[in-house]
Amino acid sequence: MSTKFESNGESDEDMYDMDEDDELKEEVEELTAEEWKGKGNDCYRSKSYKDAIDMYGMAILLDPSNPSFLLNRAAAYLMLLQYKECIEDCEKSIELDSNNAKGYFRKASAFRGLGNISDAIKAYTAGLEVEPTNNAAKKDKDELLLAQSKLEELMVMLQNENNPSRFRAGLPVAEFLTKKLGSNNRDVNIAKAECLSGVGRTEEAYNLSNDM
């Protein structure tokens, strides 16, 4: 006599995923959310940012309504240059608490890392509405506004075909902007490549264009 087993619609893979979920739940519940946060802080202080992300993730699983856990993980993402993940956590934290300026400032730093000047300025502006006395954020915003202005001037200069020295004059401006904004701003990189090509440094221009 044979026995018939019914699968109730679940595959072996589904069952395996359920076992993994149960194991993760047991591991998470070994500590409180604040204790996981504490472990994350310890990892962050020792510059073990990947481990910090994992610890903060445990805290978030236990208490997804706490914006500080998201902000802490965003800080760790920022240190690893994982800007998109940082922005995502900052936006979630702002949804939970729109009066925490750190969410805006951290988001601004991530946008800056991506080379997105306009969104970085918007994030700094929003943060300064919450915390208008933050001088460091004011300085960062002013630097970006200056860089944005110089970039606009550079673009106008390079379009002036009546100026034969535009590439030589524009190159130090492009290099200044690279130092201020990093290497991820596409507009700066295009302008710099154009300047390099215009002064005969074609190989550097070619390499920069390929890296975009």
Side-chain angles (χ1 to χ4, degrees), residues 3 6 12 20 24 26 40 49 53 59 66 81 89 108 110 134 139 166 184 187 203:
T3 305
E6 295 183 359
D12 291 341
E20 280 197 328
L24 177 59
E26 287 179 9
Y49 301 118
I53 287 168
N66 190 319
L81 311 185
D89 273 359
N134 192 312
K139 181 180 177 183
R166 63 188 184 278
N184 288 326
D187 290 336
E203 185 176 351

Side-chain angles (χ1 to χ4, degrees), residues 19-31 36:
D19 290 341
E20 280 197 328
D21 291 342
D22 289 341
E23 289 176 9
L24 177 59
K25 185 179 179 182
E26 287 179 9
E27 181 182 357
V28 171
E29 292 177 348
E30 288 176 1
L31 301 174
W36 281 118

Side-chain angles (χ1 to χ4, degrees), residues 128-193:
L128 286 167
E129 288 177 2
V130 176
E131 192 178 312
T133 59
N134 192 312
N135 291 325
K138 284 182 185 177
K139 181 180 177 183
D140 287 341
K141 180 186 173 182
D142 288 344
E143 281 185 359
L144 287 181
L145 288 169
L146 176 62
Q148 187 178 53
S149 176
K150 284 189 173 294
L151 176 57
E152 290 170 356
E153 291 173 3
L154 175 61
M155 301 298 283
V156 171
M157 180 196 301
L158 295 179
Q159 290 170 5
N160 183 5
E161 296 181 0
N162 295 321
N163 181 0
S165 63
R166 63 188 184 278
F167 301 119
R168 194 168 300 281
L171 184 56
V173 178
E175 289 175 339
F176 165 81
L177 290 172
T178 300
K179 288 179 182 177
K180 286 294 179 183
L181 302 175
S183 60
N184 288 326
N185 187 286
R186 184 173 176 80
D187 290 336
V188 173
N189 288 338
I190 290 172
K192 186 175 180 180

Side-chain angles (χ1 to χ4, degrees), residues 39-132:
K39 281 182 170 291
N41 291 345
D42 291 341
C43 292
Y44 189 94
R45 280 191 287 268
S46 64
K47 299 183 179 181
S48 301
Y49 301 118
K50 288 183 179 179
D51 290 335
I53 287 168
D54 290 340
M55 299 302 106
Y56 294 137
M58 295 291 198
I60 292 166
L61 283 173
L62 285 171
D63 186 1
S65 65
N66 190 319
S68 70
F69 300 159
L70 288 158
L71 276 179
N72 285 11
R73 188 170 69 175
Y77 278 133
L78 190 62
M79 296 305 294
L80 292 176
L81 311 185
Q82 293 180 238
Y83 300 123
K84 292 180 180 179
E85 291 84 353
C86 174
I87 291 167
E88 185 177 338
D89 273 359
C90 287
E91 289 178 342
K92 287 178 182 176
S93 76
I94 290 168
E95 287 177 10
L96 293 167
D97 181 8
S98 60
N99 291 316
N100 191 331
K102 285 182 181 179
Y104 300 103
F105 297 147
R106 212 153 279 172
K107 182 180 174 181
S109 296
F111 274 127
R112 186 171 185 166
L114 288 172
N116 189 333
I117 305 175
S118 59
D119 281 340
I121 291 171
K122 288 177 185 175
Y124 276 124
T125 301
L128 286 167
E129 288 177 2
V130 176
E131 192 178 312

